[in-house]
Amino acid sequence: MATMAECRSALDKLSDNLAGADGDVRSAAALDRSLSCHIKDLDVTFTGRLAHGRIQVLETVEGPPREKAEIRLSMTGDDLVTMVNGELNFAKAWGSGRVRLEAGFRDLLRLRSLL
């Protein structure tokens, strides 16, 4: 089971990957939205913003998200780490229910290039 530190490191790596991306991925990551990532097996939520092509983690709270973010992710810590490391395909994990992504319809359309 991934630790909280490994999950935070994975989010930082994902942020670096988004910041260094080109084309459609860079455009999709350029949203300015509140973001939450609930790690189900650790029962913690990282909250922050997706802004300027980066994920800015502002707070870590115990349990599910306290407020409804504009972009909401939910998964296990292991799935987060393996996705960021390129060992788990996001679209397949999402399609199988291992990963949940909730956002407004327009945001989902823009985020599809990240998938």
Side-chain angles (χ1 to χ4, degrees):
M1 180 164 80
T3 66
M4 194 157 74
E6 289 170 324
C7 292
R8 176 59 196 258
S9 179
L11 287 172
D12 290 341
K13 182 177 179 181
L14 178 58
S15 179
D16 291 342
N17 292 348
L18 292 174
D22 297 333
D24 290 341
V25 173
R26 179 91 173 143
S27 174
L31 294 169
D32 184 5
R33 302 287 189 271
S34 60
L35 175 74
S36 68
C37 181
H38 182 234
I39 306 301
K40 297 184 293 187
D41 54 337
L42 298 175
D43 199 24
V44 297
T45 301
F46 296 94
T47 62
R49 293 203 71 78
L50 174 62
H52 310 293
R54 295 196 69 87
I55 296 170
Q56 302 164 336
V57 176
L58 302 174
E59 185 178 20
T60 305
V61 297
E62 289 188 24
R66 294 181 183 149
E67 297 179 18
K68 187 175 177 180
E70 293 166 298
I71 299 172
R72 299 166 303 282
L73 292 162
S74 179
M75 67 196 78
T76 67
D78 287 342
D79 285 344
L80 173 63
V81 171
T82 56
M83 269 193 315
V84 172
N85 289 335
E87 301 162 15
L88 176 64
N89 179 282
F90 180 87
K92 288 182 182 179
W94 185 34
S96 70
R98 286 174 67 176
V99 173
R100 290 193 62 182
L101 169 64
E102 298 177 37
F105 183 71
R106 288 182 189 204
D107 288 342
L108 286 173
L109 288 176
R110 280 194 75 184
L111 292 169
R112 73 175 186 248
S113 65
L114 297 176
L115 313 178

